[in-house]
C-alpha cells in the first residue's frame, strides 16, 4: 500500500489565523481525500482533490474555509482558514492505490486557542 | 448516496469472549466495505476489506467479517477478545476504485474487561 507523509503532526494556533497541512504520497495517485475527525467522533470527508482541477467539497464544507491545492500526482495541501476553536480536530489525508484499500496519513492534530 | 450505520457506539466484552461489532450499509451500487481500527492517539489501520468474491473476509489480528447482501450487513467478529483489542472500530463503504470516496460510520468503541 502507499505511504503517506503528513505534516505537521500537531499544532496549536491562534484564532483568526490559518494553517496549511501537507500530504506527500510515495506513488502517483489520481485522487486524494481530506477528512476531519472532531474530538470523539468519526471521520467526515471534507473534499476530494484531483490533480489539475478544483477540489470537490462535501456538504457543509466550502473552498473559502478549506482551500486545497493539488499541484501534482503525489502532493496536496489543505488550508484551514480564519480558524476558530470549533476547528480543533484531527485532519487526515487519504489515498487508494491499486485496490489495496485506503491508506491514511498519520493526521494533523490541530488545537485552536 | 452511500451510508453506513454502526449499531452500538460502545461495546464491552470480557477477555476471551466473542467480539461482534455490527455494521449495516446502504449503497446503490455493489459496495466495497472496510473495517478500520484506531488505537488511542494513533492513526487508522485497515483491518480487512471486501471488494468482490468470497463473502467471508479474514483480516489482521484474528478478525473477520462476512458480507451479507440480503441483510446489507458487514459485521466484524473475533472469536476471543484480547485486552489489546480495546480500540475504536470504524466501518466504511465506497463504490470501489481509487477515485471514489470512503464514507465512514460513527464508530464503535470496544472495551475489553479482564
Amino acid at each position: 500500500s502507499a505511504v503517506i507523509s503528513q505534516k505537521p503532526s500537531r499544532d496549536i494556533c491562534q484564532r483568526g489565523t490559518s494553517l496549511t497541512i501537507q500530504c506527500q504520497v510515495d506513488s502517483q495517485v489520481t485522487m486524494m481525500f481530506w477528512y476531519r475527525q472532531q474530538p470523539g467522533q468519526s471521520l467526515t470527508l471534507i473534499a476530494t482533490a484531483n490533480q489539475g482541477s478544483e477540489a470537490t467539497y462535501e456538504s457543509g464544507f466550502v473552498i473559502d474555509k478549506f482551500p486545497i491545492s493539488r499541484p501534482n500526482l503525489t502532493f496536496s495541501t489543505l488550508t484551514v482558514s480564519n480558524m476558530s476553536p470549533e476547528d480543533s480536530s484531527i485532519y487526515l489525508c487519504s489515498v487508494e492505490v491499486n485496490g489495496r484499500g485506503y491508506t491514511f496519513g498519520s493526521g494533523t492534530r490541530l488545537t485552536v486557542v | 448516496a452511500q451510508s453506513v450505520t454502526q449499531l452500538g457506539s460502545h461495546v464491552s466484552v470480557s477477555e476471551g469472549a466473542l467480539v461482534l461489532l455490527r455494521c449495516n450499509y446502504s449503497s446503490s451500487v455493489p459496495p466495497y466495505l472496510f473495517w478500520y481500527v484506531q488505537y488511542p492517539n494513533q492513526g487508522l489501520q485497515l483491518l480487512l476489506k471486501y471488494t468482490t468474491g468470497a463473502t467471508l473476509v479474514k483480516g489482521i489480528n484474528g478478525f473477520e467479517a462476512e458480507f451479507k447482501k440480503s441483510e446489507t450487513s458487514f459485521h466484524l467478529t473475533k472469536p476471543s477478545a484480547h485486552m489489546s483489542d480495546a480500540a475504536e472500530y470504524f466501518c466504511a463503504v465506497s463504490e470501489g476504485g481509487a477515485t471514489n470516496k470512503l464514507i465512514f460510520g460513527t464508530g464503535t468503541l470496544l472495551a475489553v474487561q479482564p
Side-chain angles (χ1 to χ4, degrees):
Chain A
S1 60
V3 175
I4 301 176
S5 174
Q6 182 174 344
K7 57 182 180 181
S9 59
R10 59 179 63 233
D11 207 341
I12 300 174
C13 300
Q14 297 291 323
R15 67 177 67 200
T17 63
S18 298
L19 175 71
T20 296
I21 302 166
Q22 300 180 2
C23 271
Q24 178 76 50
V25 188
D26 68 345
S27 55
Q28 294 184 339
V29 294
T30 304
M31 295 291 193
M32 293 181 74
F33 306 93
W34 287 97
Y35 289 85
R36 180 176 72 182
Q37 186 176 24
Q38 294 177 298
Q41 298 191 28
S42 184
L43 283 79
T44 302
L45 182 66
I46 297 171
T48 302
N50 192 3
Q51 192 266 334
S53 63
E54 273 200 8
T56 301
Y57 289 82
E58 298 296 305
S59 176
F61 297 96
V62 295
I63 188 171
D64 290 346
K65 176 66 176 178
F66 297 101
I68 288 172
S69 78
R70 184 79 204 276
N72 58 52
L73 292 174
T74 64
F75 186 79
S76 180
T77 67
L78 170 76
T79 298
V80 187
S81 303
N82 188 24
M83 289 184 285
S84 66
E86 292 71 35
D87 294 320
S88 297
S89 297
I90 299 173
Y91 293 86
L92 304 101
C93 60
S94 175
V95 300
E96 202 283 342
V97 178
N98 296 330
R100 296 174 187 170
Y102 295 77
T103 300
F104 288 81
S106 53
T108 297
R109 187 178 296 271
L110 171 63
T111 302
V112 183
V113 298
Chain B
Q2 296 181 306
S3 65
V4 174
T5 301
Q6 289 185 243
L7 294 176
S9 58
H10 291 79
V11 171
S12 182
V13 301
S14 299
E15 192 172 20
L18 171 72
V19 175
L20 171 61
L21 304 182
R22 299 179 185 274
C23 172
N24 287 88
Y25 70 90
S26 173
S27 178
S28 58
V29 300
Y32 285 26
L33 295 158
F34 305 81
W35 276 100
Y36 284 85
V37 60
Q38 186 175 40
Y39 298 100
N41 297 313
Q42 293 190 29
L44 283 165
Q45 182 179 9
L46 179 65
L47 273 179
L48 50 79
K49 62 180 170 67
Y50 168 79
T51 55
T52 58
T55 56
L56 182 62
V57 181
K58 295 185 184 298
I60 62 172
N61 302 338
F63 284 93
E64 62 182 36
E66 186 171 12
F67 170 60
K68 292 187 177 181
K69 183 179 178 180
S70 61
E71 300 178 5
T72 61
S73 69
F74 191 59
H75 302 329
L76 182 70
T77 61
K78 181 174 181 178
S80 176
H82 296 162
M83 297 295 291
S84 60
D85 294 327
E88 183 115 32
Y89 292 80
F90 295 98
C91 183
V93 63
S94 83
E95 294 184 3
T99 59
N100 288 302
K101 58 193 177 186
L102 192 62
I103 303 300
F104 283 84
T106 51
T108 298
L109 185 62
L110 175 66
V112 181
Q113 308 299 327

